[in-house]
Amino acid sequence: MWAILAASIVGVGIFFERLWSTQRSKVLPRAFVDRIRALVAKGKVNEALLLCEENGSSIALIIASALRAFEHSTSRADIKEAVEEVGAREIAHMDRNVEIVGTVATISPLLGLLGTVVGMIQVFRNFVEAYASGAVGPDTFAQGIWQALITTAYGLTVAIPMLLLYRVLLDRTNKLVLEMEEDAMAIVNLLEDGRRAAKARPPVTEPKPVAPEVTP
């Protein structure tokens, strides 16, 4: 039971740490994304890149990789590859230690079952000793069995909430990842639209200087 208690403390601690680390304001600030999108739509790529480098959120790092790739490459595939590379690294950072909560949910009932098995071994050993001394009674089994089953109940009491917390973290991370992918691809599309618009724009020709008239 002490092992189950220690595992539950670790699981709850990691749950709250992940909630703090994956706050929307730290991972995907909506006002910042809207501002970057407006700058890119106006063709202010350098200004948008500077803001991304100053922000430091996960979505800022992903968008910054797209803007750098846009400056050095003309291929959409290269831009998308840069976004996916940085995105995978940020997703791994968001998923860090989440599996520990799932592990606690998995091992807690097993630890409880182990405690019950050990308790039952003790019950039968006490029964053998009581039988040898001729003091066998109903309480010989009853008391030992309910004490042994306590660990299983305790393990399940910890495992069920931990499983729910684990699912909450997974759903939270998946939603943030999906939104980041959509925002990153929206920026890539804006960059492509700006590039196509620049190519389709006719070149600006300067007017030829008019020679002054010479009077005789």
Side-chain angles (χ1 to χ4, degrees), residues 79-161:
I79 299 175
K80 188 176 180 180
E81 182 180 356
V83 169
E84 290 176 349
E85 181 180 353
V86 178
R89 186 164 61 247
E90 291 303 311
I91 292 172
H93 180 73
M94 291 170 60
D95 287 337
R96 186 182 59 185
N97 296 333
V98 172
E99 289 300 324
I100 295 179
V101 181
T103 302
V104 171
T106 302
I107 67 172
S108 293
L110 297 178
L111 289 173
L113 181 60
L114 176 61
T116 297
V117 171
V118 173
M120 293 301 294
I121 293 173
Q122 183 69 30
V123 168
F124 281 104
R125 187 174 65 180
N126 293 339
F127 174 78
V128 172
E129 294 176 355
Y131 182 80
S133 62
V136 178
D139 59 336
T140 305
F141 269 113
Q143 183 177 1
I145 290 175
W146 75 260
Q147 288 179 347
L149 290 175
I150 288 177
T151 54
T152 296
Y154 188 50
L156 291 174
T157 302
V158 171
I160 294 172

Side-chain angles (χ1 to χ4, degrees), residues 5 9 12 33 44 64 100 104-105 138 144 153-154 164 187 207 213:
L5 177 61
I9 293 174
V12 171
V33 175
K44 300 179 180 180
I100 295 179
V104 171
Y154 188 50
L164 295 177
I187 295 297
E213 295 183 358

